[in-house]
Amino acid sequence: MSSSTQQAADTAAEGRNRPARVSFWAAFLGIGLILGIVATPLFWLMWGGWYTLCLFLCAFVAIPAGHLGRRRGKRLGGRDRGAALFGIVAGWLLMLCGLLLVVAYAGLVTGLAVLVDSAR
């Protein structure tokens, strides 16, 4: 086999488990959003709904793509199965963090409403 044919075959083999890589990067982006929330809490208070929406979107991409990547990795001899597993686990953790953010935001709004009502 010539080197250009081998290189083309290697390139094609790298792209076979695309769901695993999508899952990995969606989870990585969601973790970056969590770190952004921790680093900039005032910004989260102003735009918390958008942060939370993005977290849920990242989780909704990471979980199914991770499952597809695990299944496809099994057929490909284990290729990128670890990245897919990371996407699944991180996706569920992102879902949990998103739910905690919704509860925290609702508690903050409720607490502020109680404070305003008691000031009257």
Side-chain angles (χ1 to χ4, degrees):
M1 207 185 274
S2 69
S3 82
S4 64
T5 308
Q6 180 64 30
Q7 187 178 16
D10 289 342
T11 305
E14 286 178 14
R16 280 195 223 166
N17 201 351
R18 188 166 296 181
R21 292 171 191 222
V22 167
S23 173
F24 176 81
W25 286 109
F28 189 72
L29 176 64
I31 290 170
L33 286 168
I34 292 286
L35 293 176
I37 289 169
V38 171
T40 58
L42 183 64
F43 190 68
W44 178 76
L45 289 174
M46 293 186 313
W47 302 101
W50 290 108
Y51 266 119
T52 308
L53 176 69
C54 289
L55 281 178
F56 281 120
L57 289 176
C58 288
F60 284 135
V61 168
I63 294 168
H67 284 291
L68 287 172
R70 292 282 289 176
R71 189 176 310 133
R72 189 171 289 172
K74 192 177 205 180
R75 284 186 279 149
L76 294 174
R79 183 176 195 87
D80 290 333
R81 288 190 81 200
L85 181 63
F86 172 77
I88 293 168
V89 171
W92 282 110
L93 289 174
L94 288 172
M95 188 75 67
L96 176 68
C97 289
L99 289 174
L100 289 174
L101 285 172
V102 167
V103 169
Y105 200 68
L108 178 68
V109 170
T110 303
L112 288 174
V114 168
L115 284 174
V116 168
D117 192 43
S118 66
R120 288 184 190 184

